[in-house]
Structure formats: structure tokens, C-alpha cells
Amino acid sequence: MSLKIGLGYDLHRLVSGRALIIGGLKIPYELGCLAHSDGDVLVHSLIDALLGATGNGDIGQKFPDSDPAFKNISSLKLLEQVMEEVSRDGFSVISVDSVVILEKPKLAPFIPEIKSKLSRVLSIEPENLGVKAKTAEGLGEIGQGKAIASYSVVLLEKK
């Protein structure tokens, strides 16, 4: 048995005029992520964790913001493409743990639906997917409500 661990991180500024997408779910809020794609920080951190675990680069290499094909694309579609690659490389996801850091809005009511969406794409049971939301306690750009970040850790097994 061969196990691989990957760590992913993403950060985006929050701006008006954009939808706030987290874990593939549109969250009601007056601000959204400034990004080339839909700006889903949670999915972006998952993609980086998966690519890191398999040694296949990072999200910027795989889906560059200079490519118009990825303009406003759903990050779930990007995650699906990465999961196809993960599977082709002979890996399956065992476990995922993620944290989203933002001051507002509160994510607790949305976490079950986020876990349901992501577990389907990752081909794991929802109980093998941790999604948590934390604040920055008013510190820095995130604490001032100007940005949002996410960290993810994945555990993969070689089939």
C-alpha cells in the first residue's frame, strides 16, 4: 500500500459584484471572490492538495488565469478534471480535511450541503470529508472582511 499526503492553500480578495462560491455552493452574501474562475477557495485548496499529493504541479500550472477557457468556470468542473487525473494515476482519495477562514458570512448552515457536493466529486463518503469554518479574529485582511482563505489536506492511496 502506498499513501500520499497533499496540502493545498488558496486566498482571494472579496469584492462586490461577484457571487460567493464555497465548496461548489453559492452562499448568500454581498461580496464574492475576485478571481479568473468562480473563485471557490475551498475547491482551489482541494485541487492544490490533490495535485501536490500526486506530484502533478499546482492549480496555476494546470488551469492558468491567462487561459480564457477558464474564465468564470465552475471550480467543481476543474476538480472533476483533477479527480480524473488522480484516478488515471492509480490513486483514490481516503480522507480530506479542509478549513475555510473568513469573518462573514457564517458557513455552519451550509456545511452539510458543501460536504454532500464535494464528497460526490471526490468519490468518498461525507464522513471522510472534514469541512470547517474559522474566523481570523479580526486580524489582517481576512479579519477585516477583505479576503477569504482555505487550507486542505488530502490522503490518497495507490490502488
Side-chain angles (χ1 to χ4, degrees), residues 52-71:
T54 58
N56 288 321
D58 63 38
I59 193 169
Q61 293 169 326
K62 191 72 62 185
F63 309 108
D65 62 7
S66 58
D67 189 335
F70 305 122
K71 181 74 175 160

Side-chain angles (χ1 to χ4, degrees), residues 133-156:
K134 303 290 180 189
T135 71
E137 300 292 330
L139 300 173
E141 297 289 307
I142 296 172
Q144 294 170 16
K146 296 178 182 178
I148 179 174
S150 180
Y151 291 91
S152 292
V153 176
V154 300
L155 178 62
L156 305 181

Side-chain angles (χ1 to χ4, degrees), residues 4 9 11 49 68 72 78 80 89 106-107 117 125 146:
K4 297 279 189 168
Y9 168 77
L11 171 82
N72 295 320
L78 304 178
E80 288 169 357
D89 287 348
K106 296 293 184 194
L107 291 186
K117 282 181 172 287
E125 295 298 319
K146 296 178 182 178

Side-chain angles (χ1 to χ4, degrees), residues 10-15 17-27 31-45 47 59 63-65 67-80 117-118 148:
D10 195 41
L11 171 82
H12 286 286
R13 290 187 189 283
L14 290 170
V15 297
R18 294 277 301 191
L20 181 61
I21 310 295
I22 300 175
L25 186 64
K26 184 175 179 181
I27 308 293
L31 302 175
C33 292
L34 180 63
H36 185 68
S37 68
D38 66 4
D40 189 330
V41 294
L42 174 54
V43 172
H44 293 180
S45 70
I47 289 171
I59 193 169
F63 309 108
D65 62 7
D67 189 335
F70 305 122
K71 181 74 175 160
N72 295 320
I73 193 169
S74 165
S75 295
L76 281 181
K77 289 184 180 183
L78 304 178
L79 182 58
E80 288 169 357
K117 282 181 172 287
L118 293 178
I148 179 174

Side-chain angles (χ1 to χ4, degrees), residues 29 84 99 119 126 156 159:
Y29 193 55
E84 288 173 11
V99 60
S119 63
L156 305 181
K159 298 178 193 172

